[in-house]
Amino acid sequence: MDNRAKVLAVVCCVMQLLLNLSLKTSSSNYSWSRSVCGRSNHRKTLVTTNYHNYTTGTMSTSGACASPNCSNTVSKRLACPKCLQLGLPPVYYCGQECFKANYAQHKSIHALAQQMGSAAKHRKTPPDGITCPLDSDPQTKLSLPAWAHNYTFTGPLRPTLLSPPRTITNPKVRKPDYATHFSGISESEQRDRASNSNIRVYGPDELDGECNLRYACQMGREVLDLGGKAARVGVTTDEIDRVIHEACMERDCYPSPLNYYNFPKSVCTSVNEVICHGIPDYREIQDGDIVNIDVTTYSRGGYHGDLNETFCVGNVDADGRRVVETAFRCLAAALEMVKPGTLYRDLGTAIHRVAAENKCSVVRTYCGHGIGSLFHTAPNVPHYHKNKAKGVMKEGHVFTVEPMINLGTYNDVTWDDNWTAVTADGKRSAQFEHTVLVTKSGCEILTARDNEPVMKWNPDLIQR
């Protein structure tokens, strides 16, 4: 369904709900903040919502119950789980009994939303200004997306149109809860943020065995290696996305970025001044580009494995090579500190020291995160000096460390595609990432290269 159809479906559903049920919804105020550190059942049971993006967000729940003829005040975020699954704006009820008494009428909106969604999939939609078919002429493919025509860019990189979304063709692939969500929201992550402040400890049963956490990380490594081999002058980042997507299908894995909060592709490709969350498109990689490929795989066992590397394509200049090597050494310095008893906040000091020695800066907006059965969870792992991260490492903790290192300022700007984060001064950025497990005496790099339990700098491995 294209964006226009999605908006139409939501608008029509909300209007119909207001008309038929005489809803008295409370006013809602959304506050969004994007950061790296972002399944309800179908029973007639309300769920407590915590409806925000990756890290922060507020919502007012003051007002009357949505049930007709009920004047009770809403005091909790008790919303219909089916509405949340369909991506409809939530409406709130004073309690379970009120919701159940009204459910026979309320559920009609679910059918309407599903009907409109089905109809939109089967009709030809006009161009959305963002995508074009794979067989389009080169001039069309390389044209700017609609949002970019009057946009002021910080650096020389320009986006192009995107290919149509890729589909999950392997029936063995297990999908995370956000894969089919209207808005790409992970309800399991929302519930986790609302109710859990502890860092999960993973044991042998979750780490080992068929398709479990260690396996998911190994699959992520294999997939990244294949994507990295595809990177070369003249290849589009969309082609890298195709390679990554097909490699995931071959391994019975879901590409975790796909539809996560509506991210449109199966991998993030961040070129030159792009810090992170770059969307693969029809732009060809140029001689001298640095290209980060960020892969996350979701196994049939229900676990995510996350890693990335930055590649030097062709003849990269001295500054480009400096920022890439610095990013690698920043991550290596941080991982040397990972062991039981280390404060999570202290990793930022080690990273800052290496970056400063090489006249680079550390991005502050995005951070590492806990990972496993959830794509993003506690702990938050900031990469900059004097951060206020909470928590102490314990054996069994699993998380990512992924410092983003810039040649110039650490400040970032997000393009109007609502995803691509770039440096505020247009200078280049590089990044490396691993998923790590805290062991009794140190750490295990779950996403390590073959025969490389400790990170070792070898420029030949990232040269393309």
Side-chain angles (χ1 to χ4, degrees):
M1 193 188 312
D2 71 336
N3 291 335
R4 195 173 308 179
K6 289 181 179 179
V7 172
L8 178 61
V10 170
V11 170
C12 290
C13 288
V14 173
M15 289 179 65
Q16 184 73 12
L17 196 59
L18 289 169
L19 178 64
N20 289 351
L21 304 180
S22 301
L23 291 177
K24 299 165 287 183
T25 56
S26 57
S27 60
S28 297
N29 175 39
Y30 294 82
S31 174
W32 301 92
S33 172
R34 187 172 303 283
S35 172
V36 170
C37 313
R39 191 174 329 173
S40 70
N41 55 44
H42 297 170
R43 297 173 298 168
K44 293 183 288 184
T45 304
L46 296 171
V47 294
T48 302
T49 65
N50 189 26
Y51 223 67
H52 50 62
N53 207 352
Y54 290 171
T55 52
T56 63
T58 60
M59 174 181 289
S60 171
T61 58
S62 61
C65 174
S67 182
N69 304 316
C70 179
S71 58
N72 291 338
T73 299
V74 172
S75 60
K76 295 182 179 180
R77 296 171 177 174
L78 297 174
C80 170
K82 185 65 173 178
C83 286
L84 295 180
Q85 185 198 41
L86 293 172
L88 300 176
V91 293
Y92 298 99
Y93 294 84
C94 62
Q96 300 285 358
E97 295 303 320
C98 199
F99 174 63
K100 291 178 180 179
N102 185 55
Y103 189 75
Q105 290 178 295
H106 174 80
K107 68 180 181 180
S108 63
I109 199 66
H110 304 154
L112 178 61
Q114 291 170 327
Q115 289 170 7
M116 294 192 69
S118 178
K121 291 179 181 178
H122 292 285
R123 66 171 178 264
K124 187 175 181 180
T125 55
D128 57 11
I130 300 172
T131 63
C132 70
L134 288 166
D135 58 359
S136 298
D137 62 87
Q139 185 176 359
T140 298
K141 288 182 175 181
L142 296 177
S143 58
L144 287 172
W147 63 265
H149 288 291
N150 297 311
Y151 185 79
T152 301
F153 292 89
T154 64
L157 187 71
R158 295 295 181 271
T160 71
L161 296 185
L162 311 179
S163 65
R166 293 187 163 87
T167 59
I168 303 303
T169 55
N170 182 349
K172 295 181 181 179
V173 168
R174 176 175 176 173
K175 297 179 182 179
D177 59 353
Y178 57 82
T180 55
H181 191 282
F182 189 86
S183 300
I185 292 171
S186 173
E187 294 170 16
S188 55
E189 287 188 7
Q190 299 287 356
R191 291 194 296 271
D192 178 71
R193 294 189 189 102
S195 60
N196 178 42
S197 60
N198 296 320
I199 301 172
R200 183 171 176 179
V201 174
Y202 285 89
D205 291 342
E206 297 158 312
L207 290 166
D208 299 307
E210 185 179 3
C211 302
N212 283 350
L213 182 50
R214 186 174 274 110
Y215 174 85
C217 292
Q218 292 170 347
M219 292 303 98
R221 165 50 63 184
E222 290 184 9
V223 170
L224 175 60
D225 288 345
L226 290 170
K229 289 178 181 178
R232 60 184 182 275
V233 174
V235 170
T236 66
T237 49
D238 181 74
E239 172 63 10
I240 294 175
D241 180 74
R242 182 195 66 78
V243 170
I244 296 291
H245 188 87
E246 292 183 0
C248 287
M249 295 301 99
E250 291 169 359
R251 289 160 178 78
D252 298 344
C253 291
Y254 183 90
S256 301
L258 184 61
N259 201 49
Y260 187 68
Y261 289 89
N262 288 156
F263 188 80
K265 293 296 180 179
S266 298
V267 65
C268 296
T269 53
S270 301
V271 180
N272 295 337
E273 69 262 30
V274 178
I275 296 170
C276 60
H277 301 160
I279 302 174
D281 61 17
Y282 287 123
R283 178 190 180 273
E284 294 181 354
I285 299 172
Q286 306 297 310
D287 182 39
D289 283 348
I290 60 173
V291 182
N292 179 270
I293 301 176
D294 193 340
V295 168
T296 312
T297 50
Y298 183 68
S299 72
R300 282 188 292 136
Y303 294 92
H304 299 270
D306 192 2
L307 73 162
N308 74 57
E309 293 184 352
T310 301
F311 299 91
C312 295
V313 181
N315 300 298
V316 176
D317 64 20
D319 280 343
R321 293 185 178 279
R322 173 165 60 90
V323 73
V324 171
E325 181 175 354
T326 299
F328 183 94
R329 295 192 182 282
C330 282
L331 176 57
L335 297 192
E336 288 179 358
M337 297 183 63
V338 176
K339 62 182 179 180
T342 298
L343 300 176
Y344 279 100
R345 68 188 184 204
D346 288 346
L347 298 188
T349 300
I351 293 168
H352 170 83
R353 185 181 301 114
V354 174
E357 288 172 354
N358 291 277
K359 298 180 180 180
C360 292
S361 63
V362 182
V363 173
R364 300 187 177 192
T365 305
Y366 303 94
C367 60
H369 52 89
I371 191 170
S373 57
L374 297 177
F375 195 174
H376 297 91
T377 185
N380 285 348
V381 188
H383 305 116
Y384 56 91
H385 187 41
K386 295 182 180 180
N387 67 78
K388 299 184 183 302
K390 297 178 181 179
V392 179
M393 296 179 194
K394 296 180 180 179
E395 183 181 358
H397 285 185
V398 177
F399 56 92
T400 72
V401 186
E402 44 187 298
M404 287 141 272
I405 308 301
N406 298 349
L407 280 173
T409 179
Y410 66 78
N411 293 313
D412 62 275
V413 175
T414 301
W415 281 357
D416 278 358
D417 61 8
N418 296 321
W419 277 106
T420 307
V422 298
T423 57
D425 57 8
K427 294 184 179 180
R428 283 167 291 181
S429 181
Q431 180 188 19
F432 288 82
E433 174 188 16
H434 277 306
T435 296
V436 298
L437 164 69
V438 181
T439 63
K440 288 183 179 179
S441 58
C443 81
E444 177 185 352
I445 303 175
L446 297 176
T447 48
R449 296 168 179 157
D450 286 342
N451 302 315
E452 191 179 301
V454 178
M455 292 182 66
K456 296 180 179 179
W457 173 246
N458 182 349
D460 292 339
L461 295 179
I462 52 91
Q463 178 62 48
R464 296 294 180 268

